[in-house]
Amino acid sequence: MMNGEETDGGISLGDMEKALVCLLMTSMEAPVQAESAGLTQEMFADASLGFVYEVIMKIYATGVRPDMVLVERGMREADEELAAKLGGLSFLLPYMLNVRHDGNVAAYVEGIKKQYKLRCLVTLFGRWRSRLARYRPSRRNWSTRRSAF
């Protein structure tokens, strides 16, 4: 689920993130919905899409409707090296051609947030597991203690 595998709706997390970023540039309501739902850059599994999302939301916050030209310029201003590495928004062009309506924005936002929470839990449980392993008695000591009872 967390590495682009299919999610509940049958769409991969990567596809969901790309579609949402495209919708943010094509829909008047998408930025409002994403912002009101509390979506943040860190919630994107793909850091490059999180970067683009942050640029789009900064443009939106100025009262200007984000489009590809403004977003590419914003990307260069924010991090010229990363923008060049990504090739601007060219990696999103196939998705831009396929995004037709904004009816799924809320579902995409919730799916991204859900996967982010799951990744956080996996990280947290991994830390707890490694800490517990340090304090866990060895099996030999445990069997010796058990035979004493």
Side-chain angles (χ1 to χ4, degrees):
M1 248 192 252
M2 292 175 282
N3 295 322
E5 297 171 13
E6 285 198 3
T7 60
D8 298 344
I11 183 171
S12 72
L13 178 58
D15 287 343
M16 197 180 305
E17 290 180 347
K18 289 174 186 167
L20 178 63
V21 168
C22 292
L23 285 167
L24 292 169
M25 292 182 281
T26 59
S27 166
M28 294 286 285
E29 289 299 313
V32 175
Q33 290 180 21
E35 183 180 52
S36 66
L39 190 65
T40 63
Q41 176 181 359
E42 298 80 23
M43 293 179 180
F44 283 80
D46 184 332
S48 61
L49 291 170
F51 169 67
V52 175
Y53 172 79
E54 186 67 20
V55 170
I56 290 170
M57 296 311 285
K58 283 181 181 176
I59 294 168
Y60 172 73
T62 65
V64 177
R65 183 175 177 195
D67 63 24
M68 291 184 76
V69 174
L70 293 173
V71 172
E72 283 199 345
R73 187 178 72 202
M75 289 169 64
R76 286 191 303 273
E77 290 172 359
D79 188 338
E80 192 169 340
E81 185 178 321
L82 181 55
K85 180 181 173 187
L86 294 173
L89 292 173
S90 62
F91 71 104
L92 287 175
L93 288 178
Y95 286 86
M96 290 297 288
L97 297 172
N98 294 321
V99 172
R100 300 283 186 245
H101 66 87
D102 62 358
N104 294 322
V105 170
Y108 293 158
V109 168
E110 289 308 311
I112 292 167
K113 287 174 62 177
K114 175 184 173 185
Q115 293 302 312
Y116 170 72
K117 291 173 187 174
L118 289 173
R119 287 192 311 275
C120 288
L121 285 173
V122 167
T123 301
L124 180 64
F125 290 146
R127 288 180 186 161
W128 284 355
R129 183 178 180 184
S130 65
R131 287 182 183 167
L132 286 173
R134 286 186 274 166
Y135 298 109
R136 187 174 162 187
S138 68
R139 289 181 179 241
R140 188 172 39 153
N141 291 343
W142 179 254
S143 62
T144 306
R145 287 182 191 163
R146 213 169 81 204
S147 64
F149 292 107

